[in-house]
Amino acid sequence: MYFLSGWPKRLLCPLGSPAEAPFHVQSDPQRTFFAVLASARLSIWYSRPSVLIVTYKESAKSSSQFGSYKQAEWKPDSTMIAVSTANGYILFFHITSTRGDKYLYEPVYPKGSPQMKGTPHFKEEQCAPALTLEMKKILDLQAPIMSLQSVLEDLLVATSDGLLHLIHWEGMTNGRKAINLCTVPFSVDLQSSRAGSFLGFADVHIRDMEYCATLDGFAVVFNDGKVGFITPVSSRFTAEQLHGVWPQDVIDGTCVAVNNKYRLMAFGCASGSVQVYTIDNTTGAMLLSHKLELTAKQYPDIWNKTGAVKLVKWSPDNSVVIVTWEYGGLSLWSVFGAQLICTLGGDFAYRSDGTKKDPLKINSMSWGAEGYHLWVISGFGSQNTEIESEPKSIVKQPGILLFQFIKSALTVNPCMSNQEQVLLQGEDRLYLNCGEASQTQNPRSSSGLSKPSREKSSFTDEGFESQGLSTLLGHRHWHVVQISSTYLESNWPIRFSAIDKLGQNIAVVGKFGFAHYSLLTKKWKLFGNITQEQNMIVTGGLAWWNDFIVLACYNISDRQEELRVYLRTSNLDNAFAHVTKAQAETLLLSVFRDMVIVFRADCSICLYSIERKADGPNTTAGIQVLQEVSMSRYIPHPFLVVSVTLTSVSTENGITLKMPQQARDAESIMLNLAGQLIMLQRDRSGPQIREKDSNPNQRKLLPFCPPVVLAQSVENVWTTCRASKQKRHLLEALWLSCGGAGMKVWLPLFPRDHRKPHSFLSQRIMLPFHINIYPLAVLFEDALVLGAVNDTLLYDCLYTRNSAREQLEVLFPFCVVERTSQIYLHHILRQLLVRNLGEQALLLAQSCSALPYFPHVLELMLHEVLEEEATSREPIPDPLLPTVAKFITEFPLFLQTVVHCARKTEYALWNYLFAAVGNPKDLFEECLMAQDLDTAASYLIILQNMEVPAVSRQHATLLFNTALEQGKWDLCRHMIRFLKAIGSGESETPPSTPTAQEPSSSGGFEFFRNRSISLSQSAENVPASKFSLQKTLSMPSGPSGKRWSKDSDCAENMYIDMMLWRHARRLLEEVRLKDLGCFAAQLGFELISWLCKERARAARVDNFVIALKRLHKDFLWPLPIIPASSISSPFKNGKFRTVGEQLLKSQPADPFLNLEIDPGISNVQRSQSWLSNIGPTHHEVDTASSHGPQMQDAFLSPLSNRGDECSIGSATDLTESSSMVDGDWTVVDENFSTLSLTQSELEHISMELASKGPHKSQVQLRYLLHIFMEAGCLDWCIVIGLILRESSIINQILVIIQTTEVDGEMLQNIKTGLHAVDRWASADCPGYKPFLNIIKPQLQKLSEITEEQVQPEAFQPITVGKTPEQTSPRAEESRGSSGHGSIPQGEVGGGSVVSRKEENTTRAEEEEPFQDGTYDCSVS
């Protein structure tokens, strides 16, 4: 509503003695001038610029006669001021402007500037006028004056002798005698007998009073604390004609303020609260509407800190009230009691070092024009003393503080309530919450906010596609638009503002005319002809309709009320406007679809249709009257109507209507009458529904039924004209903001599956709910409320000197306005469940289940109900938690919701929660069945706290095995830690958190660390992952500093190792080498030592062919292809030689580093984390190999037709840089043709490229080869050697076999395995034959060795100059000695041999070879 902005300004008054400091400020009715009183001075200030114009100083002699000045009151036309004095005099001052064209302050423009001096009203708008003050009349009332109030043409004065004087402004009593209050009858309401009880005691007098025009009477506060309302029974104002009503329960009233628009009387009380009363229309009694009081919840130490209420003031637009107390402080409340600002806490009350500040004490305050400023005269009484103690003390210059406010556009232009944007207006700028739209769109696109998240998908959720949700929530900053200074100069202050549906254009209305701004072009559009601008006064607000601005205005020169429509894209000129004359002044205007609804000063409502017309070259809009409805029977005063809107909402929600399309028409008029929401529906009882509609307009002309009151205390109403089948509940609902009572929604109820509804059931229901923010806009489909909230920043630390104590920056924090939003869906679901409307709640929830924060909604609902019910002192007769739990089980997110809720509530409430939702053991098992391991891990923590250790260990084991199975390494690491922690705490309290160093993480890995191979690190320094199992609940670090006992530790480690071994065994049996590598690398599993033990058991290769096939598949390694036969060889001419050279040229030293084909061509399923940079279409390669010779001749030949599909371009990867474009192969530098390649060399190159897998796979395979070598699993080494097709590996294995004692069974296994591979290659995969032929000699040697081993061990052949230095079967030692002697270093490690220097470079390069697709586990 209203928000403080920045620091207050200080206006310095002229120097004088401290006794002459000002103490009272009063604005004139137009809020242009401010009268400021000191004890013997009257000053007049101007509002913009805020300058002092004239001061009248009383002479000492007359000052002693009159006494000091007390109060001032302006005549309604601002030509006179009445000032009351202490000794019972009233002084009447005349204000006259100086003769001629004289001004105190005039703007000076540089020569040649475009500002026109000749514009009408120029002087009055721009310059501070020169005024004179003269005292014309003195009236002596012979008793101290308590209050004076301007009433129409008279001045009403209350004196301390209990009299009411009615005085004419000319200073005459007109012979009317004063009314004695003792003669005015008072009663509880106006219906009781005329002889009400009189006040009855002599010394009663009025302490404060204010006139209420819309109630036609005075709200009064008596000196004994009673309050009342005095109204003239007839038009004559005499004692006999006055009657008073009073509430019985107020006895400590101090002051009063009246809200004319909402007919409210706010009485300040000595207790510090404000009681707001209204008058009952039927009985005339005073009814308590609501109270404004600070709660102990927000301000725990508030009791008796505030003192009595000192002043209460309503804003000029009647939408907020400001309250200040005797002991200081200031608070701001909406009409019906929502607190917006309070300066008694936070940065207003405390300095940045934590010391308490003196609260701001306010002596007098007055609102400025349109509520953008609050003029405050403060009494910083106590603070002057500190400063005067300084040697060169000067008298502190008194001043007036100006607090600056920005306010919601809804306060003045309620037609903005069908928009989804938040728009705030300050005196010279606008704040929007949809600024990003302009950046994310190009100006040509007309699609609106539909896809803003495409451009910035890096930080918005894909789920935010609906209606530009990301744009409306976006970030916390406002898009601030400065209002054109040219327009402001002559039209300050801004009265109305409006934004269009898409949030791309804004229009503002000042004193005269209007201007509009485009967020896309960042330009303002003003009237070209300034006379046209100054000739119109917008009266009833303005609204956007598509590209048009619709407004109601008064034409000054024609003295005519008009309705005008301007096109945004054309020049701003009346020539392009469509003008319709209106009978009476328009007070409110709103647009619904293609209709305009207007409320006029004669209490009538008029509906217009609006349509676009292409009228020759220029487009205009046509307006026609559809219907008029007179409301004068129901509306006592036109000023009381706060808003009027046309909606498609009705008590029937479209199912029961005979014609479904009628449900979406303008069904009803919603009228906010002084806080009462009144609905007028179309009357469908007549016969015209049944006959076929010949004329489409006939439907719109249905009459309206008599009005129905829907709700009380309504501040704002939101409805939308959009329709959607999916979210009917939310889009056909009506949203109300009710101040301190929170929000209400009038929700439609739909029968399930379009069954016929019960006639006795209501079709709508009003549900109240509380939210923590003040609502400014409702996002209907997204179930969000948008708002704004004041935030404060302290800058007092910048001023350290003592003299800076008086700096405003020290006394006050800097105020900013933050955007906020809140989900309301869980409130509505809960209200429906309370009312046993579970079916409706389910329909509503299912329609919203796609929202990104829907899980959060369910969690919030469960959490709130749990907190309330589990902590309540009395037993709850009908608990809601079981219902809510049952409701949540309808959704797949049930398990997550429950566990997240439990983790966020204290342990004491868990039993209550799980009694309703089910046993956590069962829920854990459900998670496992649903494969939701992360959630299961969360349940484990709950089990650990609620069950004995044996149970949680059993469940942890289950989860650990499943996580191993699925390769969730992060989870596995946590589970290992968790199991150890449980093991330690078997006997005592829950265990302390283990340290990061794990005993199992040394061993086989450390062995490699000292070598030059870059390995993934072990589990020592694994970072805490996204969910960590070491929460405070699960593993409190107890007082016991020592780690658990050694034996239980060993047992626990053994238990975990057993599980790890079992998993490794399974992986090997299923030939899942890739998974085995990941598993070892991620969990720090000592693979080598385990393989040594399992060499003869699990680590044997049972079937070489299956193993080979499986590795090809797992590592995406293509099966080899036979090259084109050398007999029919067309590659003899020169240009194809250059192809070969080009190939050689384009490949760097390692031919596998530049594999970067567009991944789009590949139709092979890939794992996303490590394959994203590889591209050859392995699928095609495989088909080529399996079909064998048929496709040979097309393999490198661009002459054949099939060269496109299967040419070298697809089989190998020609990088983009090489010049081989289809059919353009000859454009290669001819100089290279001198190098001639033989046919076999060319085949060799192409085959090399076609038959290698991704570089990463190669690294992984060599890493595995290394490990199997270490462990002495030679049969696996042979398989990897085969797939890599490197004879050096086979040689190396042969050397090991010859130099060490190798198990005969293994040799036999290798021999049979290789024979099987040979048979398979002959039958199915001829691509392997060339390689098998190459290694034939080694295979012969192998079979010889095998046969020798069968003979007795007496004879051991001595190989080529090598003696078996070690005959131990332990592969670790043998590899260390003999291995290094015989193997060229480059051959062993292949791609993964890295020098020590490189290992220490960056962590990024030390990415382990094994990574999983689902988790990104490269931990640094």
Side-chain angles (χ1 to χ4, degrees):
M1 265 314 187
Y2 272 62
F3 306 97
L4 271 174
S5 169
W7 280 298
K9 293 180 190 164
R10 181 183 274 141
L11 307 177
L12 292 177
C13 298
L15 280 168
S17 66
E20 289 181 356
F23 58 80
H24 182 83
V25 61
Q26 179 71 38
S27 72
D28 77 328
Q30 282 75 42
R31 304 185 190 273
T32 317
F33 299 105
F34 290 82
V36 175
L37 290 185
S39 54
R41 280 172 187 247
L42 166 66
S43 311
I44 307 290
W45 288 71
Y46 193 59
S47 60
R48 179 184 163 96
S50 308
V51 288
L52 175 63
I53 295 175
V54 63
T55 301
Y56 177 90
K57 192 170 185 301
E58 196 69 67
S59 66
K61 181 187 171 196
S62 49
S63 179
S64 60
Q65 179 199 343
F66 298 144
S68 65
Y69 291 174
K70 286 289 175 216
Q71 259 184 300
E73 185 68 26
W74 290 79
K75 191 178 173 184
D77 61 0
S78 303
T79 55
M80 286 178 79
I81 297 176
V83 175
S84 65
T85 68
N87 296 344
Y89 290 89
I90 295 182
L91 315 177
F92 290 90
F93 292 91
H94 271 239
I95 301 174
T96 49
S97 62
T98 339
R99 292 293 161 90
D101 228 9
K102 276 203 162 164
Y103 286 88
L104 273 186
Y105 298 93
E106 290 191 22
V108 178
Y109 295 111
K111 283 215 168 67
S113 76
Q115 265 78 13
M116 274 92 65
K117 294 282 176 84
T119 58
H121 315 293
F122 171 76
K123 287 287 188 201
E124 302 97 284
E125 304 303 336
Q126 300 270 3
C127 319
L131 303 178
T132 55
L133 268 178
E134 78 183 287
M135 193 194 293
K136 274 289 172 72
K137 189 95 174 132
I138 300 164
L139 188 66
D140 184 6
L141 294 179
Q142 293 161 354
I145 291 160
M146 304 310 294
S147 174
L148 72 160
Q149 179 78 34
S150 172
V151 179
L152 308 175
E153 291 305 307
D154 296 311
L155 190 65
L156 187 69
V157 184
T159 53
S160 62
D161 53 6
L163 296 179
L164 267 178
H165 302 268
L166 199 63
I167 299 167
H168 199 265
W169 267 104
E170 295 307 316
M172 320 281 279
T173 52
N174 277 4
R176 283 185 267 194
K177 62 177 193 296
I179 297 161
N180 192 334
L181 286 174
C182 298
T183 62
V184 178
F186 271 80
S187 57
V188 178
D189 58 38
L190 291 175
Q191 285 179 331
S192 45
S193 62
R194 275 295 285 127
S197 62
F198 295 95
L199 293 172
F201 19 93
D203 55 351
V204 167
H205 62 260
I206 290 176
R207 178 173 166 177
D208 191 15
M209 65 179 177
E210 192 169 331
Y211 176 66
C212 178
T214 50
L215 285 171
D216 191 24
F218 312 93
V220 292
V221 178
F222 297 107
N223 59 326
D224 60 353
K226 288 201 175 75
V227 302
F229 178 71
I230 300 177
T231 177
V233 180
S234 72
S235 54
R236 298 192 46 237
F237 193 88
T238 57
E240 298 76 57
Q241 297 298 327
L242 289 182
H243 190 180
V245 288
W246 58 3
Q248 310 261 285
D249 46 358
V250 183
I251 50 165
D252 62 343
T254 56
C255 57
V256 64
V258 166
N259 185 328
N260 277 307
K261 198 168 197 67
Y262 288 90
R263 299 173 113 179
L264 297 173
M265 296 169 277
F267 295 100
C269 301
S271 66
S273 69
V274 175
Q275 310 224 21
V276 184
Y277 279 86
T278 182
I279 296 283
D280 185 332
N281 285 335
T282 50
T283 64
M286 287 178 71
L287 300 175
L288 179 67
S289 164
H290 58 279
K291 286 185 179 182
L292 312 178
E293 50 190 351
L294 300 173
T295 59
K297 190 177 171 191
Q298 294 163 303
Y299 302 95
D301 53 347
I302 210 65
W303 185 240
N304 284 340
K305 292 280 174 75
T306 57
V309 174
K310 185 164 187 185
L311 294 167
V312 180
K313 289 269 193 251
W314 291 96
S315 66
D317 57 20
N318 292 298
S319 59
V320 293
V321 62
I322 198 152
V323 177
T324 176
W325 296 277
E326 207 66 59
Y327 300 156
L330 175 144
S331 64
L332 190 68
W333 309 74
S334 75
V335 182
F336 291 108
Q339 185 190 319
L340 301 168
I341 299 166
C342 179
T343 66
L344 289 176
D347 291 344
F348 287 100
Y350 296 94
R351 299 189 183 86
S352 51
D353 57 4
T355 54
K356 202 162 170 35
K357 296 186 217 179
D358 285 345
L360 167 74
K361 287 189 179 156
I362 294 177
N363 289 337
S364 173
M365 59 184 175
S366 184
W367 285 97
E370 293 296 320
Y372 293 127
H373 295 287
L374 182 74
W375 290 56
V376 166
I377 292 183
S378 62
F380 282 112
S382 58
Q383 297 178 349
N384 300 358
T385 51
E386 303 166 10
I387 293 176
E388 276 160 23
S389 63
E390 292 177 18
K392 49 177 193 298
S393 133
I394 51 159
V395 181
K396 177 181 159 245
Q397 206 167 346
I400 303 169
L401 293 179
L402 250 67
F403 285 91
Q404 303 170 70
F405 287 92
I406 55 180
K407 62 180 184 177
S408 161
L410 288 172
T411 54
V412 282
N413 197 18
C415 76
M416 284 293 301
S417 66
N418 54 10
Q419 310 283 81
E420 300 197 343
Q421 291 93 2
V422 177
L423 176 63
L424 305 181
Q425 54 190 65
E427 62 165 343
D428 61 348
R429 65 196 65 188
L430 299 169
Y431 294 77
L432 292 89
N433 72 330
C434 53
E436 299 88 354
S438 53
Q439 286 92 347
T440 58
Q441 281 170 339
N442 62 32
R444 290 189 302 281
S445 82
S446 59
S447 61
L449 295 182
S450 55
K451 291 197 177 64
S453 55
R454 280 280 174 265
E455 279 86 332
K456 42 188 208 327
S457 55
S458 52
F459 42 76
T460 53
D461 198 322
E462 280 299 301
F464 278 126
E465 285 285 312
S466 70
Q467 185 61 26
L469 180 58
S470 57
T471 329
L472 294 169
L473 287 178
H475 45 65
R476 300 192 66 186
H477 301 291
W478 296 94
H479 186 90
V480 182
V481 175
Q482 289 286 345
I483 296 169
S484 156
S485 55
T486 319
Y487 181 73
L488 270 182
E489 259 174 14
S490 49
N491 297 295
W492 185 91
I494 294 300
R495 293 185 300 132
F496 307 114
S497 60
I499 187 167
D500 68 349
K501 277 268 190 291
L502 298 175
Q504 293 176 358
N505 302 292
I506 315 166
V508 293
V509 171
K511 203 166 186 177
F512 301 102
F514 75 100
H516 61 87
Y517 175 81
S518 160
L519 280 132
L520 295 178
T521 61
K522 306 253 188 300
K523 285 197 172 71
W524 280 95
K525 209 174 252 191
L526 276 60
F527 271 97
N529 182 346
I530 204 149
T531 327
Q532 290 183 1
E533 177 189 276
Q534 301 291 319
N535 192 32
M536 69 186 274
I537 299 178
V538 176
T539 55
L542 77 165
W544 286 87
W545 178 74
N546 300 344
D547 252 3
F548 295 91
I549 299 158
V550 185
L551 50 85
C553 65
Y554 176 68
N555 186 333
I556 298 173
S557 58
D558 297 358
R559 298 188 179 175
Q560 172 70 48
E561 300 290 343
E562 295 174 345
L563 195 64
R564 297 189 184 179
V565 184
Y566 289 86
L567 178 63
R568 175 182 69 84
T569 49
S570 62
N571 286 343
L572 200 45
D573 195 291
N574 292 347
F576 300 111
H578 180 279
V579 180
T580 308
K581 292 188 174 168
Q583 284 81 43
E585 183 189 347
T586 302
L587 299 180
L588 291 162
L589 171 145
S590 178
V591 173
F592 172 83
R593 300 217 176 104
D594 296 340
M595 293 171 88
V596 179
I597 182 170
V598 161
F599 177 75
R600 306 209 193 102
D602 59 1
C603 291
S604 66
I605 289 173
C606 189
L607 301 181
Y608 295 91
S609 71
I610 177 169
E611 57 180 350
R612 198 184 188 97
K613 286 187 174 170
D615 186 16
N618 46 3
T619 313
T620 58
I623 282 190
Q624 287 177 328
V625 179
L626 288 179
Q627 194 171 5
E628 293 207 27
V629 186
S630 171
M631 295 293 292
S632 48
R633 289 171 54 194
Y634 311 107
I635 297 175
H637 194 292
F639 183 64
L640 295 173
V641 178
V642 181
S643 72
V644 59
T645 37
L646 207 52
T647 75
S648 54
V649 170
S650 68
T651 48
E652 302 187 326
N653 48 29
I655 298 165
T656 52
L657 292 180
K658 302 187 176 58
M659 297 171 148
Q661 79 271 17
Q662 289 171 343
R664 284 189 289 283
D665 287 337
E667 269 306 302
S668 52
I669 294 172
M670 296 285 170
L671 201 77
N672 185 349
L673 175 67
Q676 271 195 334
L677 188 66
I678 295 175
M679 178 168 81
L680 291 89
Q681 291 197 80
R682 298 262 183 212
D683 186 358
R684 297 194 172 276
S685 57
Q688 65 266 56
I689 279 188
R690 293 183 184 84
E691 55 196 50
K692 284 272 179 270
D693 285 340
S694 51
N695 176 8
N697 281 349
Q698 208 167 341
R699 270 200 337 270
K700 294 176 183 164
L701 300 178
L702 286 176
F704 286 93
C705 302
V708 189
V709 177
L710 281 186
Q712 303 280 357
S713 307
V714 176
E715 292 180 6
N716 281 317
V717 184
W718 290 275
T719 132
T720 180
C721 55
R722 289 199 307 278
S724 154
K725 283 234 166 57
Q726 283 71 44
K727 296 194 177 178
R728 290 189 63 187
H729 278 94
L730 295 178
L731 283 172
E732 293 179 26
L734 187 74
W735 304 90
L736 316 174
S737 133
C738 302
M743 285 186 79
K744 289 181 181 166
V745 56
W746 201 36
L747 201 69
L749 302 178
F750 299 112
R752 204 158 196 174
D753 315 322
H754 301 291
R755 290 190 293 239
K756 194 161 171 42
H758 297 295
S759 54
F760 58 84
L761 279 183
S762 164
Q763 296 194 8
R764 280 188 175 267
I765 188 168
M766 188 71 82
L767 303 173
F769 60 95
H770 272 277
I771 57 169
N772 305 330
I773 63 175
Y774 188 86
L776 295 177
V778 175
L779 301 185
F780 304 96
E781 292 104 323
D782 301 308
L784 277 179
V785 173
L786 302 183
V789 65
N790 252 120
D791 199 8
T792 49
L793 303 165
L794 279 174
Y795 285 95
D796 56 357
C797 49
L798 304 178
Y799 300 87
T800 48
R801 303 189 320 284
N802 201 25
S803 60
R805 281 280 177 80
E806 283 300 312
Q807 289 278 0
L808 289 176
E809 292 85 346
V810 178
L811 297 172
F812 300 101
F814 184 80
C815 295
V816 289
V817 185
E818 292 281 6
R819 291 165 55 171
T820 54
S821 60
Q822 199 172 337
I823 301 170
Y824 57 72
L825 191 56
H826 59 288
H827 294 298
I828 298 178
L829 295 175
R830 182 179 167 179
Q831 292 288 347
L832 287 170
L833 292 175
V834 168
R835 290 164 172 73
N836 286 327
L837 293 168
E839 197 173 78
Q840 299 292 328
L842 200 58
L843 286 174
L844 173 57
Q846 282 165 348
S847 70
C848 298
S849 56
L851 290 174
Y853 35 79
F854 184 71
H856 186 54
V857 170
L858 296 180
E859 207 179 303
L860 274 175
M861 180 164 70
L862 186 62
H863 187 81
E864 283 178 13
V865 175
L866 173 66
E867 290 273 311
E868 270 173 44
E869 295 188 357
T871 54
S872 95
R873 302 217 174 131
E874 292 81 35
I876 298 168
D878 187 15
L880 187 61
L881 190 64
T883 319
V884 171
K886 190 169 172 231
F887 176 76
I888 295 178
T889 51
E890 297 285 332
F891 296 92
L893 302 157
F894 167 65
L895 296 165
Q896 283 108 300
T897 308
V898 171
V899 79
H900 289 172
C901 177
R903 297 281 297 274
K904 288 171 191 167
T905 41
E906 51 191 306
Y907 173 65
L909 310 183
W910 284 7
N911 285 329
Y912 189 81
L913 170 66
F914 287 107
V917 297
N919 189 325
K921 286 193 277 197
D922 303 341
L923 299 176
F924 174 84
E925 279 156 25
E926 277 183 51
C927 290
L928 280 189
M929 281 161 66
Q931 303 283 313
D932 186 356
L933 303 191
D934 293 358
T935 311
S938 297
Y939 275 108
L940 206 50
I941 290 168
I942 286 159
L943 283 173
Q944 188 208 359
N945 284 277
M946 295 181 75
E947 302 283 348
V948 293
V951 174
S952 42
R953 180 203 211 142
Q954 174 195 344
H955 287 82
T957 309
L958 267 175
L959 180 58
F960 184 40
N961 285 330
T962 320
L964 280 175
E965 198 48 52
Q966 294 191 9
K968 299 258 174 103
W969 308 121
D970 261 4
L971 184 55
C972 291
R973 283 192 287 264
H974 287 306
M975 292 315 303
I976 291 175
R977 207 178 57 238
F978 186 77
L979 279 164
K980 287 185 179 173
I982 291 182
S984 69
E986 287 272 352
S987 48
E988 339 91 48
T989 54
S992 57
T993 315
T995 53
Q997 176 61 46
E998 305 279 329
S1000 68
S1001 57
S1002 55
F1005 259 2
E1006 295 310 309
F1007 178 79
F1008 280 139
R1009 273 292 145 96
N1010 313 326
R1011 299 281 187 83
S1012 58
I1013 283 193
S1014 147
L1015 269 186
S1016 74
Q1017 84 269 14
S1018 59
E1020 287 150 11
N1021 40 10
V1022 171
S1025 81
K1026 60 180 173 181
F1027 72 81
S1028 148
L1029 284 172
Q1030 60 206 83
K1031 293 277 185 235
T1032 46
L1033 273 175
S1034 59
M1035 302 179 176
S1037 43
S1040 60
K1042 63 183 195 310
R1043 275 175 67 88
W1044 47 80
S1045 62
K1046 204 69 197 144
D1047 52 346
S1048 86
D1049 187 21
C1050 296
E1052 205 51 49
N1053 281 352
M1054 195 61 199
Y1055 178 65
I1056 293 167
D1057 285 347
M1058 290 290 289
M1059 284 193 280
L1060 293 174
W1061 293 342
R1062 190 171 43 202
H1063 184 64
R1065 199 171 296 131
R1066 272 199 55 202
L1067 291 179
L1068 263 184
E1069 280 164 6
E1070 293 171 15
V1071 199
R1072 286 160 56 189
L1073 279 203
K1074 184 161 192 207
D1075 294 348
L1076 182 71
C1078 280
F1079 162 71
Q1082 293 285 355
L1083 296 187
F1085 178 64
E1086 297 145 29
L1087 197 51
I1088 293 175
S1089 57
W1090 179 78
L1091 283 173
C1092 288
K1093 281 186 277 189
E1094 294 286 332
R1095 211 164 14 197
R1097 295 192 296 272
R1100 277 185 61 203
V1101 183
D1102 294 329
N1103 185 328
F1104 272 59
V1105 176
I1106 291 175
L1108 203 57
K1109 282 182 180 170
R1110 181 75 202 229
L1111 289 188
H1112 271 291
K1113 187 170 165 230
D1114 273 5
F1115 289 94
L1116 298 172
W1117 201 269
L1119 290 166
I1121 299 160
I1122 288 203
S1125 86
S1126 45
I1127 307 157
S1128 59
S1129 165
F1131 302 109
K1132 292 285 186 271
N1133 51 29
K1135 64 177 172 187
F1136 290 112
R1137 292 189 203 126
T1138 59
V1139 174
E1141 300 137 22
Q1142 183 65 28
L1143 263 175
L1144 281 172
K1145 214 173 59 168
S1146 72
Q1147 299 296 341
D1150 183 343
F1152 296 100
L1153 288 178
N1154 66 338
L1155 289 173
E1156 286 170 10
I1157 267 189
D1158 175 10
I1161 18 172
S1162 164
N1163 47 9
V1164 177
Q1165 191 56 46
R1166 317 221 194 94
S1167 158
Q1168 93 202 45
S1169 82
W1170 59 276
L1171 244 178
S1172 48
N1173 54 350
I1174 309 149
T1177 49
H1178 305 294
H1179 192 65
E1180 293 177 16
V1181 178
D1182 288 352
T1183 51
S1185 66
S1186 60
H1187 292 151
Q1190 300 100 313
M1191 299 176 82
Q1192 289 166 5
D1193 54 346
F1195 191 64
L1196 234 182
S1197 148
L1199 308 173
S1200 97
N1201 289 333
R1202 281 180 298 169
D1204 294 344
E1205 307 156 19
C1206 210
S1207 66
I1208 199 167
S1210 68
T1212 69
D1213 175 34
L1214 292 175
T1215 48
E1216 312 263 322
S1217 57
S1218 67
S1219 62
M1220 300 209 178
V1221 190
D1222 282 77
D1224 199 21
W1225 290 18
T1226 46
V1227 198
V1228 179
D1229 193 347
E1230 284 300 321
N1231 299 341
F1232 288 105
S1233 57
T1234 48
L1235 170 72
S1236 70
L1237 278 176
T1238 61
Q1239 166 65 24
S1240 57
E1241 284 167 324
L1242 189 65
E1243 282 168 3
H1244 183 66
I1245 292 166
S1246 65
M1247 202 179 81
E1248 278 285 288
L1249 294 177
S1251 59
K1252 293 275 185 177
H1255 174 62
K1256 190 150 193 174
S1257 293
Q1258 193 181 8
V1259 174
Q1260 290 172 345
L1261 282 167
R1262 292 190 186 281
Y1263 167 78
L1264 284 171
L1265 176 67
H1266 194 106
I1267 281 183
F1268 284 126
M1269 285 280 194
E1270 297 280 0
C1273 299
L1274 300 182
D1275 40 4
W1276 276 114
C1277 299
I1278 294 272
V1279 173
I1280 296 173
L1282 283 174
I1283 198 169
L1284 288 173
R1285 290 194 288 291
E1286 288 186 17
S1287 49
S1288 56
I1289 295 173
I1290 311 288
N1291 279 329
Q1292 181 186 331
I1293 295 163
L1294 210 58
V1295 169
I1296 291 173
I1297 291 173
Q1298 290 165 338
T1299 54
T1300 56
E1301 268 187 29
V1302 177
D1303 183 28
E1305 234 177 278
M1306 183 190 280
L1307 289 180
Q1308 198 55 48
N1309 189 30
I1310 292 175
K1311 188 177 163 191
T1312 51
L1314 283 170
H1315 281 307
V1317 169
D1318 195 40
R1319 283 197 299 280
W1320 167 71
S1322 310
D1324 290 344
C1325 187
Y1328 260 115
K1329 289 303 277 185
F1331 179 66
L1332 290 171
N1333 291 338
I1334 292 172
I1335 59 167
K1336 259 237 168 78
Q1338 283 96 319
L1339 298 186
Q1340 303 280 202
K1341 226 179 251 180
L1342 184 67
S1343 50
E1344 283 164 23
I1345 294 172
T1346 326
E1347 282 151 21
E1348 284 160 8
Q1349 280 219 345
V1350 179
Q1351 295 160 9
E1353 300 284 334
F1355 173 68
Q1356 187 81 23
I1358 289 166
T1359 25
V1360 207
K1362 297 265 187 309
T1363 54
E1365 295 134 313
Q1366 289 232 342
T1367 51
S1368 157
R1370 292 285 295 181
E1372 275 99 340
E1373 293 106 36
S1374 67
R1375 180 78 185 82
S1377 48
S1378 61
H1380 268 294
S1382 56
I1383 304 162
Q1385 180 70 29
E1387 292 280 6
V1388 187
S1392 63
V1393 172
V1394 183
S1395 71
R1396 273 234 170 66
K1397 185 175 66 197
E1398 271 179 63
E1399 190 176 4
N1400 300 335
T1401 52
T1402 57
R1403 277 286 184 179
E1405 284 176 4
E1406 202 196 305
E1407 212 180 332
E1408 72 240 43
F1410 288 96
Q1411 282 189 352
D1412 196 64
T1414 49
Y1415 271 74
D1416 203 9
C1417 291
S1418 52
V1419 224
S1420 54

